[in-house]
Amino acid sequence: MTDQQTTARFSSGPWRRLRSLRVRLIAVFAAVALLTAVSASGIAYWLNRDAVLKRAQDTALNDFRVSLSRNVSNLPLNATCEDLNALASTVASSGLSYDVVVADPVLPDCVASSSPAQYTVASVPTALRTAVGKPRELTESNRYTYHLYWQRQNLDGRPFVIGGTKVVTTGPTAYMFKSLENERADLNTLGWSLAIATLLALIGSALLAQAASATVLRPVKRLGDAARRLGEGHLDTRLEVEGSDELADLARTFNRTAESLHGQVEELSAREAQSRRFVADMSHELRTPLTAMTAVTDILEDEAESLDPMIEPAVRLVVSETRRLSDLVENLMEVTRFDAGTARLVADEVDIADLLMSCIDGRAWYDAVELDAPRGILAVVDPRRLDVVFANLIGNALKHGGSPVRVRVREEGDTVVVAVSDSGPGIPEDVLPHVFDRFYKADKGRARSEGSGLGLSIAMANAQIHGGSITAANGEVGAVFTLTLPLTQPPPPPSDDTAEESAR
């Protein structure tokens, strides 16, 4: 897939809708709302999580300390395993639902636990056991050798806070196991609540963005419609200005621009109309003296052989230039009719092969043109205008390309294609884009032309008025001009009233 195809693919269809201003506005609102809601929910979750866990662990640890201090006096100096079990059960029965394990290095085989099937000394993290058993130096700020330490730990996938301390300085060590399952359930509920709140905020932001985009895009759509109508030629298009915001300023700017453009177009149209009238009037004024001059030159041409040999070249030059001037005037009048839109078709159904034969025979080109035109290809055309097109294309091929000139006619679907190819050097690549321009002569690419430079332009205009076109290219040998015409008459151009009604 080429870059152009990729660009076209992403500039149309669903991709174009995804890139619309409305979608982008909703996406921005949703992204901002989502980021804000997630940030707020995350901060709220972590603050609540720390508060819930800290409250649960502080309550359990304080109760463990108080209960241990209250019951440690009942422990004898040389405590047995039964005494340690009794201490663990008594401390764990405080009502806060935690379990206690008591370990004494004097009784290494003793498992003193309020729930021996679930909790033993082996369940205590090594780092916590090390910290609990490590004495601290006594200072003014530290009056106790051993302290109460705690750690959060997952045991079999369940969250616990585990605390531990020495019962007495030279005695056993007690550990507390407090389950945080209830707190985790509360935090999960809080998390789901915040997630639902985030989703609702996202939906609300999307609805808000939709409302905001409708408010913003409605005047933008009106501006786009007005710009489109202005581009279609409705120069009286104006926007209704409401309010004093940026969109209202944009509407005022559009109205001022449209007003200025309207004035400039009217001025240019008036100048163009004056130019057309000048060319038309000049052409009409020149026709009368040209008619007289043509009659005189015809007589001079007939008498040229009997004139003085010194005068004959001048006479023939006057005859040639007078005819050239007459052709130029006729071409200018034809161009003026096309520019003014007054050129009309007088269409009739004709055989393209017969029309070509008539054009070639009428100009005595039959010895220099190879015609491949099957009979029976009927088209609804203006014979006079199409004869001008054929004469121009074949005449240019003979002048600039040289014989033999090949004319090939074929029917393609509902069109007829006429290809005129010559045997010359072809058309230079830098000249091809300009061959149908008015007054353009490719003096560097071909022999010097004595024409006006309007022939191909008039031929193109005649083809277009039929609903067809002409293309120029280089073939294997020489240049190829291809005329494409519909077999049926094109619909007439809409009148001013019809065009106005369609625009509405």
Side-chain angles (χ1 to χ4, degrees):
M1 184 178 292
T2 64
D3 293 340
Q4 291 83 356
Q5 289 173 332
T6 303
T7 302
R9 176 184 175 186
F10 284 93
S11 299
S12 61
W15 292 106
R16 183 178 182 181
R17 290 192 294 271
L18 289 177
R19 294 170 56 191
S20 67
L21 183 58
R22 182 187 301 274
V23 173
R24 283 185 286 173
L25 189 60
I26 294 176
V28 169
F29 267 77
V32 172
L34 182 62
L35 179 62
T36 304
V38 168
S39 301
S41 298
I43 293 172
Y45 179 81
W46 285 109
L47 290 176
N48 280 276
R49 179 180 181 275
D50 287 343
V52 169
L53 295 179
K54 189 174 187 302
R55 182 173 63 250
Q57 74 186 21
D58 288 350
T59 301
L61 291 171
N62 287 333
D63 185 81
F64 173 64
R65 179 189 295 111
V66 171
S67 180
L68 190 61
S69 300
R70 185 172 58 247
N71 293 287
V72 72
S73 58
N74 297 326
L75 188 69
L77 290 177
N78 297 318
T80 63
C81 189
E82 289 77 7
D83 296 331
L84 296 180
N85 275 308
L87 177 62
S89 299
T90 303
V91 174
S93 62
S94 64
L96 290 183
S97 300
Y98 56 79
D99 291 281
V100 177
V101 173
V102 180
D104 192 342
V106 179
L107 302 170
D109 296 331
C110 178
V111 180
S113 173
S114 61
S115 181
Q118 296 181 355
Y119 309 105
T120 62
V121 177
S123 304
V124 180
T126 303
L128 182 60
R129 291 203 303 267
T130 302
V132 170
K134 183 178 180 180
R136 296 177 61 181
E137 183 181 355
L138 295 176
T139 62
E140 292 183 0
S141 60
N142 179 37
R143 295 181 299 170
Y144 301 100
T145 305
Y146 296 96
H147 292 265
L148 173 63
Y149 295 93
W150 62 271
Q151 181 178 339
R152 292 177 193 164
Q153 182 77 21
N154 283 336
L155 300 178
D156 297 329
R158 299 166 58 200
F160 283 85
V161 57
I162 304 173
T165 185
K166 282 280 189 179
V167 176
V168 291
T169 304
T170 59
T173 303
Y175 298 97
M176 177 205 72
F177 291 82
K178 170 62 178 174
S179 174
L180 299 176
E181 282 285 341
N182 294 334
E183 286 72 15
R184 182 166 70 175
D186 292 341
L187 290 175
N188 288 339
T189 302
L190 175 63
W192 279 108
S193 300
L194 293 175
I196 293 173
T198 301
L199 180 61
L200 293 177
L202 183 62
I203 295 174
S205 67
L207 295 176
L208 180 62
Q210 175 69 18
S213 64
T215 303
V216 173
L217 295 181
R218 191 178 298 112
V220 173
K221 185 178 183 300
R222 287 200 297 265
L223 178 62
D225 294 339
R228 191 177 300 108
R229 287 178 55 81
L230 190 66
E232 292 172 352
H234 303 280
L235 301 180
D236 57 345
T237 301
R238 298 295 183 271
L239 286 172
E240 182 179 353
V241 180
E242 299 177 354
S244 58
D245 55 7
E246 290 80 359
L247 292 174
D249 292 339
L250 182 60
R252 294 189 187 93
T253 302
F254 175 85
N255 289 341
R256 288 195 295 269
T257 304
E259 189 69 32
S260 175
L261 181 62
H262 192 183
Q264 293 178 13
V265 169
E266 285 186 342
E267 181 180 356
L268 291 175
S269 298
R271 291 181 180 178
E272 184 180 3
Q274 291 176 357
S275 299
R276 285 200 301 266
R277 282 197 298 270
F278 171 76
V279 173
D281 294 343
M282 180 188 66
S283 301
H284 281 289
E285 292 296 328
L286 287 174
R287 291 188 72 178
T288 301
L290 275 175
T291 302
M293 292 171 62
T294 302
V296 172
T297 55
D298 289 342
I299 297 174
L300 289 175
E301 186 178 23
D302 294 338
E303 300 295 332
E305 295 181 357
S306 61
L307 295 176
D308 190 313
M310 300 294 294
I311 302 176
E312 182 183 359
V315 170
R316 294 193 180 278
L317 178 62
V318 170
V319 170
S320 174
E321 292 301 320
T322 302
R323 288 177 178 172
R324 194 172 162 216
L325 180 61
S326 179
D327 292 340
L328 176 61
V329 171
E330 291 295 330
N331 288 338
L332 285 175
M333 293 184 65
E334 185 73 4
V335 168
T336 302
R337 283 191 287 269
F338 280 116
D339 288 344
T342 58
R344 292 291 181 266
L345 288 177
V346 182
D348 192 11
E349 187 177 56
V350 297
D351 191 312
I352 299 298
D354 291 342
L355 196 57
L356 275 167
M357 287 295 299
S358 174
C359 173
I360 294 171
D361 291 342
R363 293 165 178 83
W365 288 340
Y366 41 82
D367 291 335
V369 177
E370 297 178 0
L371 180 62
D372 179 13
R375 294 184 178 277
I377 301 178
L378 302 178
V380 179
V381 295
D382 186 331
R384 182 188 68 82
R385 293 188 181 277
L386 201 54
D387 180 76
V388 171
V389 176
F390 291 153
N392 190 279
L393 296 181
I394 299 174
N396 276 346
L398 290 171
K399 278 184 182 179
H400 307 300
S403 60
V405 171
R406 291 168 293 276
V407 180
R408 181 169 177 262
V409 182
R410 64 186 183 275
E411 185 176 352
E412 294 184 355
D414 57 352
T415 62
V416 57
V417 178
V418 180
V420 179
S421 58
D422 59 43
S423 303
I427 305 174
E429 293 297 328
D430 59 328
V431 174
L432 274 175
H434 306 287
V435 292
F436 296 104
D437 294 349
R438 294 177 182 176
F439 299 106
Y440 186 83
K441 296 181 181 181
D443 293 337
K444 296 180 180 180
R446 295 186 171 208
R448 180 173 180 81
S449 170
E450 297 180 356
S452 63
L454 291 173
L456 286 176
S457 174
I458 293 175
M460 175 64 82
N462 278 313
Q464 290 174 343
I465 201 174
H466 282 87
S469 65
I470 305 174
T471 59
N474 287 315
E476 296 180 1
V477 178
V480 179
F481 284 82
T482 305
L483 168 67
T484 304
L485 294 174
L487 294 175
T488 57
Q489 183 178 0
S495 62
D496 294 341
D497 295 339
T498 305
E500 179 65 23
E501 185 64 27
S502 300
R504 292 176 184 173

